[in-house]
């Protein structure tokens, strides 16, 4: 008969994921961020312009509307630049780490034995820039648990093959 033990773990001596060197996103991903930001603010400017042109009562608010638009634009650019700098990923022996955020930093760590499947996505602009997004799914959800954008396509395909290999290995062990 096996003797039950329940030893205390010294949590201060556990390895720190913060010490892992994360790979940054491809620098070309900034172009996608700028494109999306530009498109969003072009649509917003069009809506504001139409409202100010067609609704006479709103013309008194031209200066506040322009100021609010510029402040929002500058804030959005700053947040997106900080967010880009903070994003990173790493694939270790037993898990994958993804860090993101601008105001609030979020680090997600998923052990390979929890990964159910992985997909690779390329949008129109991403394809032109040679980039892809890796989505990693675990059991129990319809949305991906980690979405790593801005990875060079060739690198993303290698990562996908690594993850598929880990999934197949785990399935073999469980059988």
């Amino acid at each position: 008969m096996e003797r039950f033990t329940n030893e205390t773990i010294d949590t201060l001596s556990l390895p720190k994921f913060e010490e892992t060197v994360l790979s940054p996103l491809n620098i070309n991903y900034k172009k996608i961020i700028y494109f999306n930001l530009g498109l969003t603010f072009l649509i917003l400017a069009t809506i504001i312009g139409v409202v100010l042109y067609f609704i006479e009562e709103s013309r008194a608010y031209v200066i506040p509307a322009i100021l609010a638009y510029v402040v929002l634009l500058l804030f959005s650019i700053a947040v997106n630049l900080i967010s880009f700098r903070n994003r990173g990923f790493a694939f270790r022996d037993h898990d994958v780490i993804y860090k993101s955020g601008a105001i609030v930093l979020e680090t997600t760590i998923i052990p390979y034995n929890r990964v159910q499947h992985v997909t690779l996505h390329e949008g129109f602009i991403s394809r032109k820039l040679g980039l892809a997004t890796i989505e990693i799914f675990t059991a129990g959800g319809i949305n991906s648990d980690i979405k790593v954008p801005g990875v060079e396509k060739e690198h993303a395909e290698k990562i996908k093959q690594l993850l598929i290999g880990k999934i197949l290995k785990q399935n073999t062990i469980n059988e």
Side-chain angles (χ1 to χ4, degrees), residues 10-30:
D10 180 11
T11 56
L12 296 175
S13 66
L14 291 173
K16 295 181 168 102
F17 72 87
E18 295 91 351
E19 294 172 359
T20 302
V21 177
L22 301 177
S23 300
L25 303 184
N26 188 294
I27 193 73
N28 283 332
Y29 186 65
K30 272 188 181 180

Side-chain angles (χ1 to χ4, degrees), residues 76-116:
S76 296
I77 290 171
V79 166
N80 277 289
L81 286 175
I82 292 168
S83 175
F84 178 80
R85 264 191 278 134
N86 288 338
R87 291 182 188 193
F89 62 93
F91 291 85
R92 304 188 301 177
D93 288 336
H94 302 287
D95 57 28
V96 57
I97 300 174
Y98 181 64
K99 180 180 165 190
S100 64
I103 297 169
V104 176
L105 289 178
E106 180 178 320
T107 303
T108 306
I109 303 171
I110 297 178
Y112 294 132
N113 65 355
R114 298 288 181 230
V115 175
Q116 292 292 309

Side-chain angles (χ1 to χ4, degrees), residues 29-136:
Y29 186 65
K30 272 188 181 180
K31 294 176 184 177
I32 295 171
I33 292 171
Y34 289 141
F35 176 81
N36 291 336
L37 204 58
L39 185 61
T40 300
F41 276 88
L42 178 66
I43 291 168
L44 183 61
T46 303
I47 292 169
I48 292 170
V50 167
V51 167
L52 292 174
Y53 183 79
F54 288 109
I55 301 175
E56 207 169 299
E57 298 84 29
S58 68
R59 292 187 186 143
Y61 302 103
V62 169
I63 300 296
I66 292 172
L67 285 175
Y69 179 84
V70 169
V71 167
L72 185 61
L73 176 63
L74 293 175
F75 179 75
S76 296
I77 290 171
V79 166
N80 277 289
L81 286 175
I82 292 168
S83 175
F84 178 80
R85 264 191 278 134
N86 288 338
R87 291 182 188 193
F89 62 93
F91 291 85
R92 304 188 301 177
D93 288 336
H94 302 287
D95 57 28
V96 57
I97 300 174
Y98 181 64
K99 180 180 165 190
S100 64
I103 297 169
V104 176
L105 289 178
E106 180 178 320
T107 303
T108 306
I109 303 171
I110 297 178
Y112 294 132
N113 65 355
R114 298 288 181 230
V115 175
Q116 292 292 309
H117 69 280
V118 59
T119 61
L120 204 95
H121 292 283
E122 298 174 82
F124 175 74
I125 298 169
S126 297
R127 194 173 320 115
K128 295 292 183 195
L129 296 172
L131 302 177
T133 298
I134 303 163
E135 287 189 81
I136 302 169

